[in-house]
Amino acid sequence: MNSQSRITSSALPVFFAVSVGTVFGVPTQTNVTQSNAPYTISSSDFLQTAGATIGGTGTFNQEGIQGLGAVIDGIYGPQGGANANPGLGAFSAGSGEVLTISFPQASGVTLNTVVSTAAWDGARASQAFQFEYQSILAPGVWQRVATVNHDPGQLPGNTNTQVTLTDSTGTLATNVTQVRFNYGNTNFWGWNGYREIDATGAASAAPVGVKVLSSIQLGQTFTPSSSDLLQTGGIVTTSSGNFNDETAVGLSALTNGSFGPGGGGANGISSSAMGNAGESVTYALDLTASPGGYSLSGIDVYAGWDGFRGGQKYTASYSLVSDPNTFITLSLVDLDANANNAPGGDISTRSMLRDADGELATGVAAVRFDFGDVTFGYAGYREIDVFGTAVPEPASAGLALAGLGLFLRRRKH
């Protein structure tokens, strides 16, 4: 699906990547179940065969249970809590505790399913966590793909729960270097008793071309950049559409360096631009400052609203200095947050466009975003960040090479 091409302009050297990628659907809690009997867990799943390293911040061994070693030991352990002396096979986790699983594969791993199983007496078989991952394409950036909060309440006897995370494409994420579970509390008992985390997957191939990384947050906001290319001056903006449904402030919100408050409606209008099908915005970059255009390293798009309008649907494209009126499709993004939220809740999303070689395109004169409708029509976009650097002018590059040659000649004497 992805390919790379290089061309040379007669005016100046231009190298660019032509690649079309589509974002995976947002994973959902497709299977949340509860039982009085133990579930079947694996003793040879992907986490146990991939050489994964388990770490974390927290206690994980309340009431004398095993702790982090239980995450992938393939042992369910006896039913019940401290009274049953579970010993092996269980780990505890509560608010503020973080479990991290790291993978040694050079190109990361592909995860297809993730299954979390809990079991205890009473109410401590609840599950509450945020599931996130890091990709080799964006080191240090956590992509949140699911928020789980399943509380069966205080029940008599033994309780077992199981949460399975899947994606409509069959793939949760690719080129994953780490995953983490940010645990929370589900009731006044605090921590819960977890038994195992199973996963299916395989080692990833080296990524090729443009990829889209997506993240979704419920009730929380993101922090966009305040110093990307669209905020450094000399940018000319043209658009088609009004972008101010529900009296949203419009296009100026997309380049002000702020996500704004969570939610939508009256709470979010001062920081939103509403993107409808058929609407578009084009940012002509500052070619006075950089006649050779710009080398783009990444594009981040943020959205946030109440209900289902925090999703994203757009086509990103760019034009070259050698032909500024012809736009080349960079990526198609369809990040519909519908399945992850209930009407009236706050939802925020982020899509990140990255290329495996660190460069989306070079010699870029302008970038354009053509919007489409999500489930409930328009979406509430909060910010667009475009990252990159100016392409050196040919004369400057020649002087630099000449200076390097002089330096090397001097070193020989």
Side-chain angles (χ1 to χ4, degrees):
M1 180 176 66
N2 295 316
S3 62
Q4 289 186 319
S5 303
R6 294 184 182 272
I7 67 169
T8 302
S9 165
S10 58
L12 67 130
V14 179
F15 302 93
F16 67 100
V18 179
S19 183
V20 179
T22 56
V23 68
F24 289 126
V26 178
T28 61
Q29 299 173 39
T30 57
N31 188 16
V32 182
T33 60
Q34 181 176 318
S35 171
N36 290 327
Y39 289 94
T40 299
I41 59 174
S42 174
S43 59
S44 59
D45 73 295
F46 181 63
L47 296 185
Q48 298 178 56
T49 59
T53 302
I54 310 298
T57 303
T59 303
F60 299 108
N61 61 353
Q62 299 283 355
E63 298 191 20
I65 59 179
Q66 181 179 359
L68 288 181
V71 174
I72 57 172
D73 66 353
I75 300 173
Y76 202 94
Q79 291 283 273
N83 294 334
N85 189 24
L88 296 177
F91 67 98
S92 63
S95 182
E97 296 188 308
V98 181
L99 167 65
T100 304
I101 303 174
S102 303
F103 300 97
Q105 287 74 9
S107 296
V109 300
T110 297
L111 294 178
N112 300 321
T113 63
V114 173
V115 181
S116 173
T117 304
W120 208 255
D121 56 2
R124 284 200 169 116
S126 307
Q127 299 200 43
F129 59 83
Q130 296 163 340
F131 177 71
E132 303 175 317
Y133 75 95
Q134 280 196 42
S135 167
I136 63 173
L137 292 168
V141 179
W142 289 100
Q143 314 292 338
R144 184 173 301 172
V145 293
T147 298
V148 173
N149 194 343
H150 176 61
D151 185 2
Q154 180 69 44
L155 300 175
N158 300 321
T159 304
N160 302 262
T161 62
Q162 193 168 75
V163 175
T164 302
L165 303 179
T166 61
D167 185 271
S168 59
T169 65
T171 302
L172 282 172
T174 62
N175 303 111
V176 175
T177 57
Q178 286 185 307
V179 298
R180 74 180 181 187
F181 296 77
N182 295 307
Y183 287 102
N185 293 340
T186 51
N187 50 50
F188 68 93
W189 290 109
W191 53 270
N192 293 311
Y194 295 87
R195 296 306 179 101
E196 190 85 1
I197 296 175
D198 289 333
T200 61
S204 291
V208 177
V210 177
K211 303 294 184 183
V212 184
L213 306 173
S214 62
S215 184
I216 182 169
Q217 296 188 168
L218 306 182
Q220 295 176 281
T221 62
F222 291 95
T223 303
S225 172
S226 58
S227 58
D228 67 290
L229 286 179
L230 301 188
Q231 299 181 60
T232 54
I235 307 300
V236 177
T237 304
T238 57
S239 64
S240 172
N242 56 41
F243 292 95
N244 58 3
D245 295 278
E246 299 192 30
T247 65
V249 70
L251 286 177
S252 62
L254 298 182
T255 55
N256 65 1
S258 173
F259 189 94
N267 294 328
I269 57 175
S270 63
S271 58
S272 296
M274 309 305 287
N276 283 279
E279 296 185 330
S280 69
V281 58
T282 301
Y283 298 101
L285 304 179
D286 186 1
L287 297 184
T288 300
S290 178
Y294 295 81
S295 176
L296 303 187
S297 58
I299 295 175
D300 296 349
V301 177
Y302 297 87
W305 204 252
D306 56 6
F308 301 123
R309 290 197 168 109
Q312 303 182 29
K313 190 171 185 178
Y314 65 88
T315 299
S317 56
Y318 64 94
S319 68
L320 298 168
V321 171
S322 56
D323 190 2
N325 295 318
T326 299
F327 283 84
I328 303 163
T329 297
L330 183 66
S331 185
L332 313 174
V333 175
D334 190 351
L335 175 54
D336 197 335
N338 184 359
N340 285 265
N341 202 26
D346 296 346
I347 188 167
S348 303
T349 57
R350 176 187 63 204
S351 60
M352 301 174 65
L353 276 59
R354 297 291 188 272
D355 193 279
D357 64 6
E359 186 176 88
L360 292 172
T362 195
V364 175
V367 291
R368 186 176 72 193
F369 299 87
D370 295 290
F371 297 96
D373 283 346
V374 295
T375 298
F376 284 78
Y378 52 80
Y381 293 91
R382 299 304 188 93
E383 188 79 5
I384 296 177
D385 289 337
V386 176
F387 302 101
T389 56
V391 173
E393 295 185 58
S396 300
L399 289 174
L401 290 173
L404 178 60
L406 179 61
F407 173 75
L408 293 174
R409 287 195 298 273
R410 286 177 176 174
R411 296 253 317 173
K412 291 179 181 179
H413 295 288

